[in-house]
Amino acid sequence: MPYLAFITVVWALSFNLIGVFLAGHVDSDFAVLSRVAIAGLVFLPFTRWAGISAMRKLGTMAAGALQFGITYLCLYRSFQFLSVAEVLLFTIFTPIYITLLDDLLQKYFNPRALAAALIAVLGSLVIRYNQIDSHALNGFLLLQLANLTFAAGQVGYRYLNKYYPDQQPQSASFGYFFLGALLITLPSFLIFGDASKLPQHMEEFAVLAFLGLAASALGFYWWNKGACLVDAGTLGAMNNMHIPVGLIINLIFWHQAQDIPRLMIGGGIMLLALLINKSAWQKKY
């Protein structure tokens, strides 16, 4: 739990840094690629190329491609359509996807988890009820793809460690996580990247360095390490702790204008969805 709690604060701060300093200023594909490259270089000295099973390598790469590569390419693009507060709130679906995916792997269906997902959708509609246009819808759908791949990467990595344990330290194979992410982010930058939007200011370089070192290298390693030490229900709940922390940081430090009553009502409906999702776990176990 301490691993997950610490990274929750780091990631909550990261959402705000992305929205304030990078979104609209630095090419999103380059921003994600730089995070992958920095984190990969950090783990390069620890990575062992021999003595690790092929399944362990491929599984860790797949987790990185999903949890980091696809997730963050979609996440960064969503800031073009949504505010920081909305991006934070719309990530509330991740625990529900974790429940559904875990059920799928165990060949189990719990209708409460599906009901929770539908109620969470209702909460998101309340937040944007008077601005539901193609612009907002694009941001919402991008975030749902990000939520789904983030959940799939976490569930997959948990199962990888459960069914393909390794005698080596976890750090010895975690470099493959960033290699998997690189296989997604490098082609994306080469195809869709905008060279005219590379970082130019010191604060942008500083934010990218923080995101690469703290939020990515340390962040993903400690988060996945912590995910393997708790049950899936706890993991799902911890996936949403960055939301209140991130909103507090956003309102206190950047004072971004928000429709507070609507955020509270929509957030309350989403909280109800989480309680239903939690009851689905309690009923299952």
Side-chain angles (χ1 to χ4, degrees):
M1 184 69 76
Y3 291 113
L4 300 179
F6 178 77
I7 298 307
T8 291
V9 177
V10 173
W11 282 352
L13 176 60
S14 299
F15 273 83
N16 285 278
L17 293 176
I18 294 168
V20 174
F21 293 103
L22 301 183
H25 306 289
V26 177
D27 177 68
S28 60
D29 287 320
F30 177 83
V32 179
L33 177 61
S34 67
R35 291 183 62 166
V36 173
I38 293 172
L41 289 174
V42 169
F43 274 87
L44 187 60
F46 304 101
T47 303
R48 298 185 181 178
W49 307 103
I52 297 175
S53 69
M55 184 58 71
R56 182 80 182 186
K57 293 178 181 179
L58 292 173
T60 305
M61 288 173 62
L66 289 167
Q67 193 182 149
F68 195 172
I70 299 175
T71 295
Y72 276 77
L73 287 173
C74 294
L75 173 67
Y76 273 66
R77 282 170 167 77
S78 71
F79 281 96
Q80 301 174 21
F81 308 102
L82 303 170
S83 68
V84 172
E86 288 169 336
V87 170
L88 282 163
L89 280 172
F90 291 165
T91 60
I92 204 168
F93 291 81
T94 304
I96 299 171
Y97 294 145
I98 288 176
T99 302
L100 293 172
L101 289 170
D102 193 77
D103 287 347
L104 179 64
L105 288 175
Q106 298 190 44
K107 299 180 180 179
Y108 176 86
F109 174 69
N110 193 320
R112 293 190 182 189
L114 181 59
L118 296 176
I119 292 174
V121 171
L122 175 62
S124 65
L125 291 177
V126 169
I127 294 171
R128 287 300 293 252
Y129 78 93
N130 67 339
Q131 298 181 49
I132 302 176
D133 51 21
S134 60
H135 200 69
L137 183 61
N138 287 339
F140 179 81
L141 293 178
L142 280 169
L143 264 185
Q144 296 325 299
L145 179 57
N147 292 338
L148 180 59
T149 54
F150 191 64
Q154 292 178 80
V155 172
Y157 192 76
R158 278 170 48 83
Y159 273 76
L160 178 70
N161 279 272
K162 180 178 180 180
Y163 294 108
Y164 297 94
D166 192 77
Q167 298 301 319
Q168 306 280 0
Q170 203 165 336
S171 58
S173 60
F174 205 73
Y176 294 96
F177 182 93
F178 299 109
L179 177 58
L182 183 66
L183 294 177
I184 298 295
T185 56
L186 180 58
S188 181
F189 172 68
L190 294 176
I191 297 171
F192 303 109
D194 184 354
S196 67
K197 285 190 173 183
L198 297 182
Q200 299 179 4
H201 305 288
M202 185 57 65
E203 63 267 22
E204 294 170 349
F205 285 106
V207 168
L208 289 174
F210 171 82
L211 294 175
L213 294 171
S216 300
L218 180 63
F220 279 102
Y221 179 63
W222 273 15
W223 184 266
N224 283 279
K225 187 177 180 68
C228 295
L229 299 175
V230 300
D231 60 82
T234 301
L235 176 61
M238 288 303 296
N239 265 267
N240 274 344
M241 288 305 296
H242 69 279
I243 297 175
V245 178
L247 287 173
I248 291 171
I249 292 173
N250 184 253
L251 292 174
I252 292 178
F253 291 97
W254 282 283
H255 310 290
Q256 293 192 358
Q258 303 292 340
D259 189 332
I260 302 299
R262 192 185 305 164
L263 285 174
M264 292 181 64
I265 294 172
I269 295 173
M270 289 178 166
L271 178 60
L272 174 62
L274 290 185
L275 294 175
I276 294 174
N277 191 56
K278 181 179 179 181
S279 72
W281 273 100
Q282 292 173 339
K283 183 178 179 180
K284 181 178 176 181
Y285 295 104

